Amino acid sequence: MKKLMYITICMFTALIGCDENDIDIPVSVLPSNLIVNAQNMGGGTVNFTATADNANYYHFDFGDGTSALGTSGEASKTYEMIGDNSYTITVTAGSTEGNKISESVDVSVSIAFSDPETVSLLTNDSSKTWFLAASQQGHLGLGPAREGIDGDWWYPKWYVASAFEKCGSEDSDCLCDDEITIAQDANGNLTFELDNKGQTYFNVGHRAVVGGSEESDFCYDFDTSGTKSVVLSPVEGNVPDEETTGIQMTIADGGFMGYYVGSSVYEILAIEDDFLYVRTYDTENADLAWYHKFTAEAAIEGGDENLETIYTNLVWSDEFDVDGAPDPLNWTYDLGAGGWGNGEAQTYTNDSENVKVEDGVLKITAIAGEGEAAVHYFDEMTLIDAGGTEQILEDFESAAPTFTGFGGSETTVVANPDASGENTSANVAQSTKALGAETWAGSFFDLSSPIDLMTYTTISLKTWSPSVGANIILKLENQANSDENVEVSVNTATANAWETLSFDFSAAAAGTYDRVVLFFDFGVSPAGGITSGRIKSENLFEFTYGRVEIRAKLPSGGGTWPALWALGANFDEVGWPASGEIDIMEHVGNNNNVVSSALHYPGNSAGNAVVGTTPVATATSEFHNYTVEWTPDSIKFVVDDEVVHNSFVNNGTTPFNSDFFLIMNVAMGGTLGGSIDPAFTQDTMEVDYVRVYQ
């Protein structure tokens, strides 16, 4: 266009002697002297100023995939990546003629992590004191590390492999009077202070810190005075989002939250206005994770508080004075195995060996019979595409894969024990689920390359199972990130013979699936032939409010879990825990002579139940009275009319305002009962009477 303009001008001026050399030709000017300045304003914001000669516009590339364009030479950018990060910013100055020059500068940006909601809950917007949840089961718990067993299996936050009740033992009770104060100053900075009354409960692996000589965990004199700063940051790892807040606290100067395991970093698994659940990792053993529960209220003290009952009219009772089966007008039976989700080992029966009235007492007896591990076989894992083309993934006829078992299961390659029917191959894989194994026990093996589920939408597997209806789960995972997984469940249709099961993965999302996980008889733990009894007053006697008094002597065998409790009568309509559950007394044979009570309801169930514990030195050798007084305003648990070890404020929003019925049982193992003594034969809970007053 400029050349055409020049020719026109020359033609117009020809009569006056136009000479090309006499004309000033417009030229394109190159911007120059580009100077870029960056000013870090804090909080992730950086202000940029660019100047250049002959520039009509400025383009800012902020180094994080974003940019800005303008004519003023000024730009402001707020970065969002948490932590200390560096960015290279490139500024281009350009002219309308299309010429441009560029300059780059490096900036460092530090952004402290903040979560206002968590800070508010931790500090009550100023300062809050937290107490060890001594009234809750598992206030100190031991469980798996983030990556889980062998870097793969991770347990949800409500599961703790071992839960320790430390407030009833002299060598650990110093843990139970700790007070932790977390505060926020005017600038938003967090501080932490632990008042442990001069004594710290030390893990035995860290006793050298205080020159200790005890061979187990112990309370030592250890000064924890002083205020320390706290920093919140995101947690990295493969824990499912629903099982953690994703936020961790780092306490400066070696600060810790009561139990000394050398760690100052605590992941916040759950936090509410009055509840804090954290996990930390032992610095001497990276495979161990320690769990703490805290409340915003000091533990309720027991002692010599006498119950001043408001209920004195006896409305229902069973004195167990007639030998034989329990009175059918008062009691019926729960029958079946597994404990309804608690992973228990017993099968409940109505057999007189398990439940009977004799010599003026009710006897509920857990009896170990002959049992055996559950054994399943599988072979010829085959990939099948939409057109029916097959590709063998694994047939166990050459080098066997390396199996990793978990939860009490193991897998090996063996000779085919039944080379007939659908499978006559020489070698197969044998999955053995040991007696007392977890209900989720299984095993996995890794692949050298991922399975292409976009091509192969079905996986077939030949299986041999001892029963019909066994639940088999085939799960595919990413070795590097077990959050990336997909699983399909199929039930067996044949017993004691080979069958081919098909697992449909057509709905699976794209992913890197290079690990194969197999669960056989998922949801079931081999019971070892243990039988027991569970009786209830459902549909026979149901009531709202009152004082329930049960006099009982408890079993002591390792793995026994006797319970005296009540369940909301509408549980079959609203489900549990919406129905509510009142555990008047529970006892664990692996922690003899410490009894507990619990309330389960929405928001406070399973491992988060409201729990109280009381030492009862002769609980397994003598009869004691276990009582609950349940009113519209409160629920109090009492032992021997003296020791109130837990008190709950009831109101119209809880499920504890409608009919409940009574249950008595002896469970074995499971989530609270724990490991069953291999030498266990039988043990009995004896009940002298049950009385209800209103």
Side-chain angles (χ1 to χ4, degrees):
M1 181 63 70
K2 292 178 182 177
K3 184 175 180 181
L4 291 174
M5 289 178 62
Y6 168 76
I7 293 172
T8 302
I9 293 172
C10 280
M11 292 176 65
F12 181 74
T13 58
L15 295 176
I16 59 173
C18 178
D19 185 342
E20 185 174 321
N21 293 325
D22 296 332
I23 301 301
D24 292 330
I25 304 172
V27 296
S28 179
V29 180
L30 180 69
S32 61
N33 300 323
L34 175 58
I35 299 173
V36 180
N37 290 310
Q39 184 178 10
N40 197 326
M41 307 302 292
T45 299
V46 182
N47 291 339
F48 298 97
T49 302
T51 59
D53 297 334
N54 303 314
N56 301 110
Y57 69 88
Y58 298 88
H59 180 270
F60 293 84
D61 182 338
F62 295 120
D64 67 343
T66 65
S67 61
L69 178 66
T71 59
S72 67
E74 295 181 354
S76 181
K77 167 66 179 177
T78 299
Y79 293 92
E80 298 180 353
M81 184 175 294
I82 304 299
D84 297 327
N85 300 287
S86 295
Y87 302 91
T88 298
I89 292 81
T90 300
V91 181
T92 300
S95 69
T96 55
E97 289 80 10
N99 294 307
K100 54 189 176 183
I101 59 174
S102 299
E103 288 289 338
S104 295
V105 295
D106 293 330
V107 296
S108 295
V109 180
S110 296
I111 303 177
F113 175 82
S114 178
D115 187 288
E117 182 179 0
T118 298
V119 171
S120 176
L121 290 170
L122 281 172
T123 66
N124 200 27
D125 295 323
S126 59
S127 178
K128 182 186 288 188
T129 299
W130 294 94
F131 304 87
L132 190 75
S135 65
Q136 296 204 19
Q137 174 195 345
H139 48 249
L140 174 63
L142 171 63
R146 289 187 63 82
E147 305 300 330
I149 300 172
D150 295 321
D152 177 75
W153 193 259
W154 188 85
Y155 300 83
K157 65 175 178 282
W158 51 261
Y159 177 84
V160 178
S162 299
F164 307 104
E165 312 307 325
K166 293 299 181 182
C167 299
S169 174
E170 293 183 2
D171 59 1
S172 59
D173 61 3
C174 69
L175 181 67
C176 299
D177 59 5
D178 288 356
E179 298 180 11
I180 292 173
T181 302
I182 302 177
Q184 181 181 26
D185 65 19
N187 296 320
N189 299 315
L190 297 179
T191 58
F192 170 93
E193 184 175 3
L194 169 64
D195 178 6
N196 67 355
K197 311 301 188 293
Q199 283 200 318
T200 296
Y201 188 46
F202 269 80
N203 178 272
V204 64
H206 300 269
R207 61 188 175 183
V209 173
V210 287
S213 59
E214 298 292 335
E215 295 299 321
S216 61
D217 292 7
F218 205 77
C219 287
Y220 292 97
D221 293 335
F222 189 72
D223 185 11
T224 62
S225 60
T227 301
K228 307 175 188 299
S229 63
V230 177
V231 176
L232 300 183
S233 60
V235 176
E236 296 181 357
N238 66 347
V239 177
D241 290 343
E242 66 272 15
E243 306 294 354
T244 176
T245 66
I247 299 170
Q248 64 186 18
M249 295 185 293
T250 301
I251 307 170
D253 303 322
F256 58 96
M257 298 183 75
Y259 181 54
Y260 193 93
V261 293
S263 175
S264 297
V265 180
Y266 293 83
E267 178 184 1
I268 301 174
L269 296 176
I271 184 169
E272 300 171 7
D273 185 59
D274 60 353
F275 178 75
L276 175 63
Y277 192 21
V278 301
R279 169 172 51 190
T280 191
Y281 303 97
D282 197 312
T283 57
E284 293 294 316
N285 187 342
D287 292 332
L288 297 184
W290 293 96
Y291 295 71
H292 297 288
K293 292 180 180 179
F294 298 94
T295 68
E297 296 182 0
I300 298 170
E301 298 293 337
D304 298 327
E305 180 181 349
N306 292 320
L307 174 67
E308 296 182 3
T309 184
I310 65 172
Y311 297 124
T312 58
N313 180 38
L314 181 66
V315 298
W316 186 89
S317 69
D318 196 327
E319 305 295 325
F320 303 113
D321 290 335
V322 179
D323 287 358
D327 187 344
L329 297 178
N330 290 340
W331 308 101
T332 185
Y333 297 86
D334 270 328
L335 305 175
W340 292 272
N342 292 319
E344 298 160 23
Q346 79 289 332
T347 297
Y348 289 124
T349 80
N350 56 5
D351 193 290
S352 61
E353 290 187 347
N354 297 119
V355 183
K356 64 182 175 182
V357 176
E358 185 177 63
D359 300 326
V361 296
L362 169 73
K363 296 181 179 180
I364 300 179
T365 304
I367 303 172
E370 295 182 2
E372 58 184 14
V375 179
H376 297 254
Y377 301 93
F378 60 99
D379 195 14
E380 291 188 19
M381 187 174 294
T382 304
L383 306 177
I384 306 172
D385 66 16
T389 302
E390 298 183 354
Q391 177 181 325
I392 295 293
L393 180 65
E394 181 59 66
D395 63 5
F396 310 113
E397 297 302 328
S398 55
T402 299
F403 290 101
T404 301
F406 50 83
S409 179
E410 65 175 17
T411 299
T412 58
V413 174
V414 300
N416 188 345
D418 183 9
S420 63
E422 292 191 23
N423 189 19
T424 59
S425 63
N427 297 320
V428 299
Q430 174 182 282
S431 173
T432 302
K433 200 170 184 179
L435 287 174
E438 301 291 350
T439 58
W440 39 259
S443 61
F444 67 84
F445 65 92
D446 291 336
L447 304 172
S448 58
S449 59
I451 296 174
D452 179 9
L453 288 186
M454 298 300 100
T455 299
Y456 297 102
T457 57
T458 300
I459 300 178
S460 68
L461 184 69
K462 292 183 177 179
T463 65
W464 190 103
S465 296
S467 61
V468 173
N471 184 209
I472 299 177
I473 296 177
L474 175 57
K475 182 178 182 182
L476 305 178
E477 289 184 356
N478 182 336
Q479 295 178 33
N481 177 17
S482 61
D483 277 352
E484 186 177 302
N485 65 75
V486 60
E487 64 181 45
V488 175
S489 172
V490 177
N491 289 341
T492 61
T494 302
N496 299 316
W498 286 101
E499 64 179 318
T500 300
L501 302 179
S502 293
F503 298 81
D504 182 3
F505 286 91
S506 59
T512 303
Y513 301 116
D514 54 3
R515 171 169 290 172
V516 177
V517 190
L518 279 160
F519 305 84
F520 285 90
D521 222 3
F522 185 83
V524 177
S525 176
I530 299 176
T531 58
S532 187
R534 172 163 147 162
I535 62 173
K536 59 186 180 180
S537 69
E538 183 180 14
N539 298 322
L540 298 172
F541 174 69
E542 298 176 351
F543 64 106
T544 304
Y545 310 134
R547 174 166 58 94
V548 180
E549 182 178 310
I550 304 176
R551 184 167 178 81
K553 181 170 66 174
L554 310 178
S556 62
T560 56
W561 176 7
L564 310 170
W565 53 297
L567 183 64
N570 63 346
F571 80 96
D572 54 348
E573 301 171 6
V574 301
W576 182 94
S579 62
E581 176 180 326
I582 303 173
D583 296 330
I584 303 168
M585 187 290 306
E586 292 183 282
H587 178 268
V588 175
N590 287 318
N591 187 25
N592 272 321
N593 297 322
V594 176
V595 300
S596 66
S597 64
L599 293 172
H600 298 262
Y601 57 101
N604 292 84
S605 60
N608 289 334
V610 177
V611 179
T613 60
T614 297
V616 180
T618 57
T620 61
S621 59
E622 298 179 8
F623 283 90
H624 293 270
N625 289 356
Y626 301 101
T627 300
V628 62
E629 174 130 319
W630 168 30
T631 80
D633 301 316
S634 68
I635 301 175
K636 294 183 178 181
F637 296 92
V638 181
V639 178
D640 291 335
D641 301 321
E642 292 181 340
V643 183
V644 176
H645 62 271
N646 194 13
S647 184
F648 174 79
V649 177
N650 195 23
N651 59 58
T653 68
T654 76
F656 306 115
N657 298 286
S658 57
D659 276 358
F660 276 59
F661 60 87
L662 298 171
I663 304 176
M664 297 187 290
N665 67 286
V666 177
M668 292 296 298
T671 53
L672 186 60
S675 299
I676 300 172
D677 184 347
F680 177 82
T681 55
Q682 69 177 53
D683 211 340
T684 300
M685 174 171 69
E686 298 182 39
V687 179
D688 186 16
Y689 60 76
V690 179
R691 298 170 182 169
V692 180
Y693 299 83
Q694 287 183 327

